[in-house]
Short mmCIF file of all heavy atoms in Angstrom, two decimals:
data_model
loop_
_atom_site.label_atom_id
_atom_site.label_comp_id
_atom_site.label_asym_id
_atom_site.label_seq_id
_atom_site.Cartn_x
_atom_site.Cartn_y
_atom_site.Cartn_z
N ALA A 1 7.39 -10.71 -10.04
CA ALA A 1 7.31 -12.16 -9.88
C ALA A 1 8.24 -12.86 -10.87
O ALA A 1 8.95 -13.81 -10.52
CB ALA A 1 5.87 -12.63 -10.05
N ARG A 2 8.24 -12.40 -12.13
CA ARG A 2 9.10 -13.02 -13.16
C ARG A 2 10.57 -12.89 -12.78
O ARG A 2 11.34 -13.85 -12.88
CB ARG A 2 8.85 -12.34 -14.51
CG ARG A 2 9.65 -12.91 -15.65
CD ARG A 2 9.35 -12.18 -16.96
NE ARG A 2 10.09 -10.95 -17.08
CZ ARG A 2 11.30 -10.83 -17.65
NH1 ARG A 2 11.91 -11.90 -18.14
NH2 ARG A 2 11.89 -9.67 -17.73
N LEU A 3 10.97 -11.71 -12.32
CA LEU A 3 12.38 -11.49 -11.99
C LEU A 3 12.80 -12.24 -10.73
O LEU A 3 13.92 -12.74 -10.64
CB LEU A 3 12.66 -9.99 -11.88
CG LEU A 3 12.43 -9.22 -13.18
CD1 LEU A 3 12.62 -7.73 -12.97
CD2 LEU A 3 13.29 -9.74 -14.30
N ARG A 4 11.90 -12.36 -9.78
CA ARG A 4 12.21 -13.16 -8.58
C ARG A 4 12.37 -14.63 -8.96
O ARG A 4 13.26 -15.31 -8.46
CB ARG A 4 11.15 -12.95 -7.50
CG ARG A 4 11.24 -11.53 -6.92
CD ARG A 4 10.38 -11.33 -5.74
NE ARG A 4 10.95 -12.03 -4.59
CZ ARG A 4 10.33 -12.15 -3.43
NH1 ARG A 4 9.13 -11.65 -3.26
NH2 ARG A 4 10.90 -12.78 -2.44
N ASP A 5 11.52 -15.11 -9.87
CA ASP A 5 11.66 -16.49 -10.35
C ASP A 5 12.99 -16.69 -11.07
O ASP A 5 13.54 -17.79 -11.08
CB ASP A 5 10.52 -16.86 -11.31
CG ASP A 5 9.20 -17.07 -10.59
OD1 ASP A 5 9.19 -17.19 -9.34
OD2 ASP A 5 8.15 -17.10 -11.28
N ALA A 6 13.52 -15.61 -11.68
CA ALA A 6 14.79 -15.68 -12.42
C ALA A 6 16.01 -15.55 -11.51
O ALA A 6 17.14 -15.68 -11.97
CB ALA A 6 14.82 -14.61 -13.50
N GLY A 7 15.80 -15.25 -10.22
CA GLY A 7 16.92 -15.17 -9.30
C GLY A 7 17.10 -13.85 -8.59
O GLY A 7 18.01 -13.70 -7.78
N ALA A 8 16.23 -12.88 -8.85
CA ALA A 8 16.31 -11.61 -8.12
C ALA A 8 15.79 -11.81 -6.70
O ALA A 8 14.96 -12.67 -6.44
CB ALA A 8 15.49 -10.53 -8.84
N ARG A 9 16.30 -10.98 -5.80
CA ARG A 9 15.91 -11.04 -4.38
C ARG A 9 15.20 -9.74 -4.01
O ARG A 9 15.63 -8.65 -4.39
CB ARG A 9 17.17 -11.23 -3.53
CG ARG A 9 16.95 -11.25 -2.04
CD ARG A 9 18.26 -11.46 -1.28
NE ARG A 9 19.32 -10.56 -1.66
CZ ARG A 9 19.47 -9.31 -1.20
NH1 ARG A 9 18.62 -8.80 -0.36
NH2 ARG A 9 20.50 -8.58 -1.60
N LEU A 10 14.11 -9.84 -3.23
CA LEU A 10 13.39 -8.67 -2.77
C LEU A 10 14.22 -7.93 -1.73
O LEU A 10 14.69 -8.53 -0.76
CB LEU A 10 12.05 -9.08 -2.17
CG LEU A 10 11.21 -7.94 -1.58
CD1 LEU A 10 10.76 -6.98 -2.69
CD2 LEU A 10 10.01 -8.50 -0.83
N VAL A 11 14.42 -6.63 -1.93
CA VAL A 11 15.14 -5.78 -0.98
C VAL A 11 14.16 -4.91 -0.21
O VAL A 11 14.21 -4.82 1.01
CB VAL A 11 16.19 -4.90 -1.70
CG1 VAL A 11 16.84 -3.91 -0.75
CG2 VAL A 11 17.24 -5.77 -2.38
N SER A 12 13.24 -4.26 -0.93
CA SER A 12 12.31 -3.34 -0.30
C SER A 12 11.07 -3.19 -1.17
O SER A 12 11.17 -2.96 -2.38
CB SER A 12 12.98 -1.97 -0.12
OG SER A 12 12.08 -1.02 0.37
N ASP A 13 9.90 -3.32 -0.56
CA ASP A 13 8.64 -3.19 -1.29
C ASP A 13 8.06 -1.81 -1.00
O ASP A 13 7.64 -1.54 0.12
CB ASP A 13 7.67 -4.29 -0.86
CG ASP A 13 6.47 -4.39 -1.76
OD1 ASP A 13 6.09 -3.37 -2.38
OD2 ASP A 13 5.88 -5.48 -1.84
N GLN A 14 8.07 -0.95 -1.99
CA GLN A 14 7.60 0.42 -1.85
C GLN A 14 6.25 0.63 -2.56
O GLN A 14 5.89 1.76 -2.88
CB GLN A 14 8.65 1.39 -2.40
CG GLN A 14 9.98 1.32 -1.69
CD GLN A 14 9.87 1.73 -0.24
OE1 GLN A 14 9.18 2.68 0.10
NE2 GLN A 14 10.54 1.00 0.64
N ARG A 15 5.51 -0.46 -2.82
CA ARG A 15 4.19 -0.34 -3.44
C ARG A 15 3.23 0.27 -2.44
O ARG A 15 3.27 -0.07 -1.25
CB ARG A 15 3.69 -1.70 -3.92
CG ARG A 15 4.49 -2.23 -5.10
CD ARG A 15 4.06 -3.61 -5.51
NE ARG A 15 4.74 -4.59 -4.65
CZ ARG A 15 4.84 -5.87 -4.94
NH1 ARG A 15 4.31 -6.36 -6.05
NH2 ARG A 15 5.47 -6.68 -4.12
N ARG A 16 2.35 1.14 -2.94
CA ARG A 16 1.36 1.81 -2.10
C ARG A 16 -0.04 1.27 -2.40
O ARG A 16 -0.28 0.76 -3.49
CB ARG A 16 1.42 3.31 -2.36
CG ARG A 16 2.78 3.89 -2.03
CD ARG A 16 2.82 5.39 -2.25
NE ARG A 16 4.17 5.87 -2.18
CZ ARG A 16 4.86 6.36 -3.21
NH1 ARG A 16 4.30 6.47 -4.40
NH2 ARG A 16 6.10 6.76 -3.04
N PRO A 17 -0.96 1.42 -1.46
CA PRO A 17 -2.32 0.92 -1.68
C PRO A 17 -3.01 1.49 -2.93
O PRO A 17 -3.84 0.82 -3.54
CB PRO A 17 -3.07 1.36 -0.42
CG PRO A 17 -2.01 1.46 0.63
CD PRO A 17 -0.78 1.95 -0.10
N ASP A 18 -2.64 2.70 -3.34
CA ASP A 18 -3.28 3.29 -4.54
C ASP A 18 -2.66 2.78 -5.84
O ASP A 18 -3.03 3.22 -6.92
CB ASP A 18 -3.23 4.81 -4.48
CG ASP A 18 -1.82 5.39 -4.59
OD1 ASP A 18 -0.84 4.61 -4.65
OD2 ASP A 18 -1.69 6.63 -4.62
N GLY A 19 -1.72 1.83 -5.77
CA GLY A 19 -1.11 1.25 -6.97
C GLY A 19 0.18 1.92 -7.40
O GLY A 19 0.87 1.41 -8.28
N THR A 20 0.52 3.05 -6.82
CA THR A 20 1.78 3.71 -7.17
C THR A 20 2.92 3.02 -6.43
O THR A 20 2.72 2.05 -5.71
CB THR A 20 1.73 5.22 -6.83
OG1 THR A 20 1.52 5.36 -5.41
CG2 THR A 20 0.62 5.92 -7.59
N GLY A 21 4.12 3.54 -6.60
CA GLY A 21 5.28 2.99 -5.91
C GLY A 21 6.11 2.08 -6.79
O GLY A 21 5.89 1.98 -8.00
N TRP A 22 7.05 1.42 -6.19
CA TRP A 22 8.02 0.59 -6.90
C TRP A 22 8.48 -0.52 -5.98
O TRP A 22 8.16 -0.56 -4.80
CB TRP A 22 9.20 1.44 -7.35
CG TRP A 22 9.95 2.04 -6.20
CD1 TRP A 22 11.04 1.52 -5.57
CD2 TRP A 22 9.64 3.26 -5.52
NE1 TRP A 22 11.44 2.33 -4.53
CE2 TRP A 22 10.59 3.42 -4.48
CE3 TRP A 22 8.67 4.24 -5.67
CZ2 TRP A 22 10.58 4.50 -3.61
CZ3 TRP A 22 8.66 5.32 -4.80
CH2 TRP A 22 9.62 5.44 -3.80
N VAL A 23 9.26 -1.44 -6.55
CA VAL A 23 9.83 -2.54 -5.79
C VAL A 23 11.33 -2.54 -6.02
O VAL A 23 11.79 -2.45 -7.17
CB VAL A 23 9.22 -3.90 -6.22
CG1 VAL A 23 9.87 -5.05 -5.46
CG2 VAL A 23 7.71 -3.89 -6.01
N VAL A 24 12.10 -2.61 -4.94
CA VAL A 24 13.56 -2.70 -5.03
C VAL A 24 13.94 -4.17 -4.97
O VAL A 24 13.59 -4.88 -4.03
CB VAL A 24 14.25 -1.92 -3.90
CG1 VAL A 24 15.77 -1.99 -4.06
CG2 VAL A 24 13.77 -0.48 -3.83
N LEU A 25 14.63 -4.61 -6.02
CA LEU A 25 15.15 -5.98 -6.08
C LEU A 25 16.67 -5.94 -6.13
O LEU A 25 17.25 -4.88 -6.39
CB LEU A 25 14.62 -6.69 -7.34
CG LEU A 25 13.12 -6.87 -7.46
CD1 LEU A 25 12.76 -7.52 -8.80
CD2 LEU A 25 12.56 -7.69 -6.31
N ALA A 26 17.29 -7.06 -5.93
CA ALA A 26 18.75 -7.20 -6.10
C ALA A 26 18.98 -8.34 -7.08
O ALA A 26 18.31 -9.38 -7.02
CB ALA A 26 19.43 -7.50 -4.77
N ASP A 27 19.92 -8.14 -7.99
CA ASP A 27 20.28 -9.19 -8.94
C ASP A 27 21.09 -10.27 -8.20
O ASP A 27 21.35 -10.13 -6.99
CB ASP A 27 21.00 -8.61 -10.16
CG ASP A 27 22.41 -8.10 -9.90
OD1 ASP A 27 23.02 -8.42 -8.85
OD2 ASP A 27 22.93 -7.37 -10.76
N PRO A 28 21.47 -11.34 -8.87
CA PRO A 28 22.19 -12.42 -8.17
C PRO A 28 23.50 -11.99 -7.50
O PRO A 28 23.98 -12.69 -6.61
CB PRO A 28 22.44 -13.45 -9.28
CG PRO A 28 21.28 -13.26 -10.20
CD PRO A 28 21.07 -11.76 -10.22
N GLU A 29 24.08 -10.86 -7.90
CA GLU A 29 25.31 -10.36 -7.26
C GLU A 29 25.01 -9.34 -6.16
O GLU A 29 25.92 -8.80 -5.56
CB GLU A 29 26.20 -9.71 -8.32
CG GLU A 29 26.90 -10.69 -9.20
CD GLU A 29 28.26 -11.12 -8.66
OE1 GLU A 29 28.83 -10.43 -7.81
OE2 GLU A 29 28.74 -12.16 -9.12
N GLY A 30 23.73 -9.03 -5.94
CA GLY A 30 23.37 -8.07 -4.89
C GLY A 30 23.22 -6.64 -5.37
O GLY A 30 22.97 -5.74 -4.57
N ASN A 31 23.37 -6.40 -6.68
CA ASN A 31 23.20 -5.05 -7.22
C ASN A 31 21.72 -4.70 -7.24
O ASN A 31 20.90 -5.42 -7.81
CB ASN A 31 23.76 -4.96 -8.64
CG ASN A 31 25.22 -5.30 -8.67
OD1 ASN A 31 26.04 -4.64 -8.05
ND2 ASN A 31 25.56 -6.36 -9.38
N GLU A 32 21.36 -3.59 -6.59
CA GLU A 32 19.96 -3.22 -6.45
C GLU A 32 19.44 -2.52 -7.70
O GLU A 32 20.17 -1.79 -8.36
CB GLU A 32 19.80 -2.32 -5.23
CG GLU A 32 20.15 -3.06 -3.95
CD GLU A 32 20.34 -2.14 -2.77
OE1 GLU A 32 19.96 -0.95 -2.85
OE2 GLU A 32 20.88 -2.61 -1.76
N PHE A 33 18.16 -2.75 -7.99
CA PHE A 33 17.47 -2.07 -9.07
C PHE A 33 16.00 -1.99 -8.71
O PHE A 33 15.51 -2.74 -7.86
CB PHE A 33 17.68 -2.77 -10.41
CG PHE A 33 17.14 -4.17 -10.51
CD1 PHE A 33 15.94 -4.42 -11.16
CD2 PHE A 33 17.84 -5.24 -9.98
CE1 PHE A 33 15.44 -5.71 -11.26
CE2 PHE A 33 17.37 -6.54 -10.09
CZ PHE A 33 16.15 -6.78 -10.72
N CYS A 34 15.29 -1.05 -9.32
CA CYS A 34 13.88 -0.85 -9.02
C CYS A 34 13.02 -1.28 -10.19
O CYS A 34 13.40 -1.12 -11.35
CB CYS A 34 13.60 0.62 -8.73
SG CYS A 34 14.40 1.22 -7.23
N VAL A 35 11.84 -1.80 -9.88
CA VAL A 35 10.84 -2.13 -10.88
C VAL A 35 9.69 -1.14 -10.70
O VAL A 35 9.08 -1.08 -9.62
CB VAL A 35 10.33 -3.58 -10.74
CG1 VAL A 35 9.31 -3.90 -11.84
CG2 VAL A 35 11.49 -4.56 -10.78
N GLU A 36 9.45 -0.36 -11.74
CA GLU A 36 8.40 0.65 -11.72
C GLU A 36 7.13 0.12 -12.37
O GLU A 36 7.13 -0.96 -12.96
CB GLU A 36 8.87 1.89 -12.49
CG GLU A 36 10.10 2.52 -11.91
CD GLU A 36 10.59 3.71 -12.73
OE1 GLU A 36 10.10 3.90 -13.87
OE2 GLU A 36 11.44 4.44 -12.23
N ARG A 37 6.07 0.92 -12.32
CA ARG A 37 4.82 0.57 -13.02
C ARG A 37 5.02 0.71 -14.52
O ARG A 37 5.79 1.53 -15.00
CB ARG A 37 3.68 1.51 -12.60
CG ARG A 37 3.28 1.40 -11.16
CD ARG A 37 2.10 2.28 -10.83
NE ARG A 37 2.40 3.68 -11.08
CZ ARG A 37 1.48 4.62 -11.26
NH1 ARG A 37 0.20 4.32 -11.23
NH2 ARG A 37 1.83 5.87 -11.47
N SER A 38 4.26 -0.09 -15.27
CA SER A 38 4.28 0.00 -16.73
C SER A 38 3.57 1.26 -17.19
O SER A 38 2.84 1.90 -16.42
CB SER A 38 3.58 -1.22 -17.34
OG SER A 38 2.19 -1.18 -17.05
N ASP A 39 3.77 1.64 -18.45
CA ASP A 39 3.06 2.80 -19.00
C ASP A 39 1.55 2.59 -18.93
O ASP A 39 0.81 3.53 -18.63
CB ASP A 39 3.49 3.06 -20.45
CG ASP A 39 4.88 3.67 -20.53
OD1 ASP A 39 5.37 4.22 -19.52
OD2 ASP A 39 5.49 3.59 -21.62
N ALA A 40 1.09 1.38 -19.21
CA ALA A 40 -0.35 1.10 -19.16
C ALA A 40 -0.89 1.31 -17.74
O ALA A 40 -1.98 1.87 -17.57
CB ALA A 40 -0.62 -0.33 -19.63
#
């Protein structure tokens, strides 16, 4: 949510019902990156 508010765009949501997974975002130039779960 913070990164989308900063200008990232959602590319692919790979979150699973059990809480695992990741989210693929793109920066303002379209470069893709993933957001993983925190250590906690």
Side-chain angles (χ1 to χ4, degrees):
R2 181 180 82 90
L3 298 176
R4 290 188 73 187
D5 287 346
R9 177 179 52 82
L10 177 66
V11 174
S12 175
D13 192 333
Q14 300 296 319
R15 291 176 277 198
R16 299 182 191 113
D18 67 357
T20 61
W22 62 93
V23 177
V24 182
L25 298 177
D27 71 15
E29 285 270 341
N31 300 299
E32 296 166 14
F33 63 101
C34 294
V35 181
E36 300 177 348
R37 295 184 300 159
S38 68
D39 286 341

